[in-house]
Amino acid sequence: MAYTAMSGNGTTAGDDPLQTAVWRLRSRACWADAAALLQPVTAPAALQRASLLVERCLYTEQGWEEAEDALRTAEALAHSDDERGAAACERGQLAYAATLHSVRDRADEARAALGRAAALIAPGAQGRALLDFRRGLLAENLAHSPQAARAAYRRAHAGATAHADPLLLSFTWRHLAGLALRDGELAEARHGFAESLRIREELGYLVGTAPALASLADAESEPEASRLREEAGRLFRLLGGVPTWLSRQLTPPAARLLRLLAQPGGLRFALRVRQGRQRTTPLLSLTASAPEPDEIRPLLAALCTDLDLTAGPVGISFTVDTPLGAVTFE
C-alpha cells in the first residue's frame, strides 16, 4: 500500500514488525533511521521511504536533497495510477514545505503536483483523504483561503474516518480547530484540539504531541494554557527542538515581539480587532524607524487593554512587518 507512512500503520499490536519499527522511529522524530529500514526496491517501499524524508523536511527544515533523491526513486518505480498519484502527492508536499519554510518558492509546483495526484487517485480511495488534507494546507497557508481550506479538511476528515486512519484524523481535527479558533468559535476549537491531542497520545505520536498541546493552549484560558505550553515545551526540548516551527508558538506574543525589535531595519505595525467573523479597520497603526523599546510600548499597552465592544467573541489580530517577513499574532 502506497500510504502506509502517513496512515499510522505499525501503531497497533499484530502489525508487521517492520512497520512497527518504522512507526516507533518516526514518532520520535527519527525519520532518517526509519527510512534506513526500508529498501526502495518496490514502489510501495520507495514511496513510504520518500514520505518519511519529506515529513522530516516539514518538521526540521533540513534534508531537502535526500528527500528529492528518495522522491525521484519513488517516481521511477511507480507504475499504477495509485502509485503515481501517491508520488505526485509527495512531490506536492515537498514543494509546499519548501515554500512554507521560505527555502524556495515552489507554490506553483505544489499546486500542479497535487492536481496531478487528484487526476490519478480515485475518489474514495485511501490516498484521497491525504491528498484532500494537503490541498487544504495549500489553501490555508499559501493561498490564504480559509473557506477552501475548511472544505478540503472536511473532505479529508470524512475520508480518514471512512478508512479508519486515526493519525490523519488527528491532523484534520487540529486544522479544522485552528480555523474555528480564527473565527472566534472557542468551544469548537477546544473540542477539535482536544480530539487531536487524544488521538496522538493514544498512538504514541510523540513528535506530534507537542504541537497538539500548544494548539490546545491557544484555545484555553489561564492557568490551563500555561500548563499546556509548559508540557509542550518539555516535549519540544526532549526531541531536540523539533518541530522547528513550534518554538514561535511556544513563545508568548509580547516576548516574540520584543525579540523582533533586535532586528535591524525598523518595524511597521497594524493592530486590528476581530469580532466573531468580522474584521474591523485598523485600530492602531504606527511606524518605528528604529527598534526602540519606547516606541513599541503604546502598542503593547493596546494589546493588554480591555475593549468595550458589543456582545460576541472578540480577538485581536496584530501583524508586524519585519526585515524577516510578516509575523501575525492572534
Side-chain angles (χ1 to χ4, degrees):
M1 181 58 65
Y3 309 101
T4 50
M6 287 305 300
S7 68
N9 192 35
T11 61
T12 58
D15 283 334
D16 174 44
L18 175 61
Q19 292 300 327
T20 298
V22 168
W23 168 255
R24 285 176 177 169
L25 290 167
R26 175 196 175 196
S27 66
R28 289 159 176 77
C30 300
W31 293 280
D33 292 337
L37 297 178
L38 301 168
Q39 297 299 316
V41 294
T42 65
L47 284 165
Q48 185 176 4
R49 183 174 181 273
S51 70
L52 289 166
L53 296 176
V54 168
E55 187 174 79
R56 178 178 67 166
C57 293
L58 184 63
Y59 277 71
T60 69
E61 304 178 50
Q62 297 177 354
W64 303 98
E65 286 302 320
E66 293 91 335
E68 288 282 359
D69 289 345
L71 190 48
R72 282 192 288 267
T73 298
E75 289 168 336
L77 290 172
H79 297 297
S80 69
D81 284 353
D82 190 57
E83 292 166 351
R84 290 187 293 122
C89 191
E90 293 303 328
R91 171 65 63 188
Q93 181 72 351
L94 183 61
Y96 162 77
T99 306
L100 185 71
H101 291 313
S102 302
V103 175
R104 184 156 59 92
D105 187 351
R106 298 172 60 179
D108 290 341
E109 180 187 350
R111 294 186 189 96
L114 295 186
R116 288 197 306 274
L120 291 164
I121 301 173
Q126 182 178 1
R128 193 76 184 201
L130 176 60
L131 171 61
D132 284 334
F133 173 71
R134 288 176 170 176
R135 296 179 92 173
L137 293 177
L138 259 67
E140 181 179 5
N141 298 317
L142 300 190
H144 306 292
S145 175
Q147 296 86 356
R150 183 179 287 105
Y153 292 149
R154 284 174 175 168
R155 291 194 302 271
H157 193 84
T161 301
H163 290 282
D165 188 341
L167 182 60
L168 184 53
L169 276 174
S170 80
F171 281 92
T172 56
W173 273 121
R174 180 166 172 261
H175 283 265
L176 285 168
L179 294 177
L181 186 62
R182 285 182 53 171
D183 288 341
E185 304 291 345
L186 285 179
E188 181 181 345
R190 286 193 196 101
H191 175 70
F193 289 141
E195 283 297 295
S196 177
L197 176 61
R198 177 187 63 79
I199 292 170
R200 293 181 178 193
E201 288 179 336
E202 289 177 356
L203 293 176
Y205 188 45
L206 193 62
V207 74
T209 299
L213 286 163
S215 293
L216 182 56
D218 288 341
E220 291 285 0
S221 56
E222 296 295 348
E224 180 66 7
S226 291
R227 186 193 69 78
L228 290 166
R229 286 196 184 93
E230 287 175 7
E231 179 64 11
R234 186 187 68 79
L235 290 174
F236 176 72
R237 293 187 294 273
L238 179 66
L239 292 174
V242 176
T244 53
W245 38 262
L246 187 60
S247 62
R248 296 185 290 274
Q249 191 174 353
L250 293 175
T251 305
R256 289 159 61 189
L257 183 58
L258 292 173
R259 185 178 301 169
L260 286 170
L261 291 175
Q263 301 297 329
L267 304 173
R268 187 169 65 255
F269 312 98
L271 181 65
R272 297 175 184 271
V273 174
R274 184 183 70 251
Q275 186 165 20
R277 291 182 172 84
Q278 303 299 318
R279 285 186 183 272
T280 70
T281 55
L283 177 70
L284 173 66
S285 185
L286 62 91
T287 299
S289 59
E292 294 294 334
D294 285 344
E295 296 181 78
I296 200 63
R297 283 180 183 140
L299 190 57
L300 291 176
L303 282 170
C304 300
T305 299
D306 291 331
L307 300 171
D308 185 15
L309 299 176
T310 57
V314 174
I316 294 178
S317 174
F318 172 41
T319 300
V320 183
D321 292 327
T322 80
L324 302 181
V327 180
T328 298
F329 306 97
E330 291 191 306

